[in-house]
Amino acid sequence: MRPPTIKDHDVRLYSTEVLERVWLTDRVFEIRLSKPSTFKFMAGQRIRLLHRAIRRDYSLITAPSDPTLALCLKKIESGEYSPILASAKPGTQLSFTGPLGYFTYRPSGRPTVFVATGTGIAPFLSMVRTGITGFTLLHGVHRATNLYYRDIFSRAARLYIPCLAAEAEETEDRESVFRGRVSHYLAEHLPSGNYDFYVCGRQEMIRDVTLMVDARFPSSLLYTEVFY
Amino acid sequence: MKIYTGSGDRGKTSLLSGERVSKADLRVEAYGDVDELNSILGGVVAALPPTEAELAKEIQKIQSVLLHIGACLAVTPGSPVSEELEEITKEHSKALEGAIDRIDGSLPPLKEFILPGGHISAAWAHLARAVCRRAERHVVNLSAIQTGTVGSEQLRHVIVYLNRLSDYLFVLARLCNKIQGLSDTMWKR
């Protein structure tokens, strides 16, 4: 029997309930939601939360086999949806459509490089929770406290490179942290070769990484997911 | 939300299957034509009178199939991504054949060449037909370089669909004129 693919799961409207919220930093939190019994997805896919006229897409961070759903997001004070989720009490009812997107892991003979900035790490967390290992991960953050899933990725990755903004304060473990942007790491440190790049984060980062892939790794594959 | 990223400023684009290719790549030419065709069909729908809601729905269904075709063309053969896409089958072409027969049966028989034009909706449909033929030519080129490889059967179905769609767009153009009470303009040699 072939493994399920994206087209096996119909995009439909679902109801869910807020179960729990855990703050990872002063601005980033995980929100756990009940999982509708008929909802199925592939690791790396998104759901679209609906609230009145607002629609926001968020990548799931749980594995498809997990009994609940969870998201990781940053509270944007001026944002439309994240403040609602940041204060939603357990029991709050929400609607969503999904699953959405094609940002799923496709094994090949080439080495895999995951590249994320900030909460763009979310889809990779779901992938790792399905048992994917042996990849290189670059996670760009402004502060060392934003490396919230460091333990999980350190265990699963072949090489885990936190990329800390050059202007960030010194950390204790300066040996294991790259000081600079993820695109700088790709420019200066990743050996030449053909890779499968999976890139998730803000579009400015995706542009910089794309241009770097064109320049240094032109025969590689590049899959991207933009976070707005 | 910004629409532009700037990652294509140096003449390259990403296929759905992950490859970075030239924007002049044959595959990009082909799905670009399909995108152009789809946009023109939007013009046809916009120019239909409100009384033609059913016809508009039929055309929008075709637009949806064209999005699937665009995705199929944006994937290199053998990529695992192709497993994730909706397949184009002969059922899609058969649905068009049914629509062609229905529309053609409602039109006066044609004995001469006609000039593309008439009502604006008909003019859009004729333009769509010509772009559809160009899309078909590019997909035929594409299929010539991937004969015998994985995915060639899918391209064969796409070629059949585009061939049938051109015929549909011809009768649709004539129907658009009929809806407006206009006759087709015959070619005077």
Side-chain angles (χ1 to χ4, degrees):
Chain A
M1 197 176 83
R2 69 171 176 79
T5 73
I6 285 169
K7 69 179 174 186
D8 295 324
H9 305 322
D10 287 339
V11 178
R12 284 168 43 198
L13 178 67
Y14 295 93
S15 297
T16 183
E17 182 183 320
V18 175
L19 301 177
E20 183 190 22
R21 183 176 41 254
V22 178
W23 287 91
L24 305 176
T25 72
D26 55 341
R27 290 176 70 192
V28 177
F29 61 96
E30 274 188 13
I31 188 159
R32 194 159 293 278
L33 307 169
S34 64
K35 185 177 177 184
S37 58
T38 55
F39 178 67
K40 293 192 176 6
F41 68 101
M42 305 280 292
Q45 287 194 289
R46 312 181 304 263
I47 58 171
R48 178 165 299 158
L49 285 171
L50 319 170
H51 178 72
R52 297 194 182 117
I54 310 169
R55 282 150 181 48
R56 283 290 177 277
D57 288 12
Y58 297 105
S59 297
L60 291 157
I61 61 170
T62 37
S65 57
D66 288 350
T68 58
L69 304 175
L71 314 170
C72 170
L73 59 153
K74 187 176 183 178
K75 183 183 177 187
I76 310 287
E77 293 299 343
S78 59
E80 287 185 292
Y81 208 126
S82 62
I84 296 171
L85 293 177
S87 58
K89 292 189 172 61
T92 302
Q93 299 291 313
L94 300 170
S95 302
F96 72 86
T97 57
L100 303 171
Y102 289 86
F103 196 66
T104 56
Y105 179 67
R106 293 143 187 151
S108 75
R110 291 174 297 276
T112 300
V113 181
F114 292 158
V115 183
T117 45
T119 54
I121 198 75
F124 302 122
L125 194 55
S126 177
M127 291 179 196
V128 163
R129 284 172 166 159
T130 64
I132 294 167
T133 58
F135 51 87
T136 294
L137 168 66
L138 311 181
H139 186 194
V141 292
H142 286 295
R143 291 183 296 168
T145 51
N146 289 343
L147 298 168
Y148 9 87
Y149 300 117
R150 193 170 188 163
D151 290 346
I152 297 172
F153 285 115
S154 295
R155 282 196 300 274
R158 187 185 65 80
L159 190 61
Y160 171 52
I161 312 288
C163 297
L164 195 58
E167 66 277 13
E169 61 204 40
E170 281 293 319
T171 57
E172 289 169 18
D173 56 351
R174 72 177 71 169
E175 293 300 313
S176 62
V177 169
F178 175 74
R179 302 291 295 212
R181 292 170 183 262
V182 290
S183 53
H184 293 161
Y185 185 90
L186 293 176
E188 295 159 14
H189 296 281
L190 191 71
S192 300
N194 294 337
Y195 299 89
D196 287 356
F197 289 98
Y198 293 77
V199 187
C200 183
R202 294 182 65 81
Q203 56 194 3
E204 293 81 359
M205 180 277 279
I206 288 180
R207 179 200 57 216
D208 292 348
V209 169
T210 301
L211 295 177
M212 194 50 61
V213 169
D214 285 349
R216 285 205 64 214
F217 316 100
S219 298
S220 296
L221 297 191
L222 177 70
Y223 303 107
T224 60
E225 180 85 323
V226 181
F227 265 37
Y228 296 105
Chain B
M1 174 180 124
K2 279 195 219 165
I3 295 298
Y4 58 89
T5 64
S7 56
D9 286 354
R10 296 180 194 174
K12 281 191 156 193
T13 190
S14 296
L15 297 179
L16 261 185
S17 46
E19 296 85 354
R20 294 285 293 164
V21 297
S22 162
K23 286 185 179 179
D25 188 278
L26 194 51
R27 200 167 281 287
V28 181
E29 289 264 26
Y31 70 66
D33 286 339
V34 171
D35 180 33
E36 185 179 344
L37 166 60
N38 207 342
S39 305
I40 298 169
L41 286 182
V44 177
V45 173
L48 288 177
T51 49
E52 295 299 327
E54 278 305 308
L55 185 58
K57 221 159 111 185
E58 181 172 277
I59 298 169
Q60 283 166 341
K61 209 164 167 186
I62 291 168
Q63 288 185 288
S64 180
V65 174
L66 288 175
L67 283 178
H68 287 305
I69 288 179
C72 159
L73 295 172
V75 168
T76 50
S79 162
V81 179
S82 54
E83 297 288 315
E84 299 165 6
L85 303 175
E86 290 293 328
E87 275 176 43
I88 304 301
T89 66
K90 57 181 162 193
E91 298 310 314
H92 289 99
S93 304
K94 278 215 162 117
L96 280 182
E97 286 169 10
I100 294 168
D101 292 344
R102 185 195 80 239
I103 295 173
D104 200 37
S106 73
L107 297 169
L110 198 59
K111 291 171 189 155
E112 304 282 343
F113 283 113
I114 57 170
L115 299 184
H119 186 261
I120 186 72
S121 55
W124 281 120
H126 276 297
L127 181 57
R129 176 181 53 79
V131 173
C132 187
R133 286 292 181 206
R134 190 197 324 134
E136 181 189 1
R137 290 194 295 274
H138 277 136
V139 179
V140 168
N141 272 341
L142 196 57
S143 93
I145 60 168
Q146 66 175 61
T147 309
T149 63
V150 186
S152 53
E153 172 145 346
Q154 188 54 192
L155 281 192
R156 239 187 355 259
H157 284 305
V158 170
I159 291 168
V160 173
Y161 185 85
L162 292 175
N163 187 27
R164 214 60 87 245
L165 182 55
S166 301
D167 295 336
Y168 170 87
L169 293 170
F170 181 76
V171 292
L172 176 68
R174 295 190 64 211
L175 176 63
C176 286
N177 277 335
K178 186 183 166 216
I179 288 167
Q180 300 293 337
L182 299 173
S183 302
D184 289 312
T185 307
M186 298 299 154
W187 181 32
K188 291 178 191 135
R189 296 165 194 245

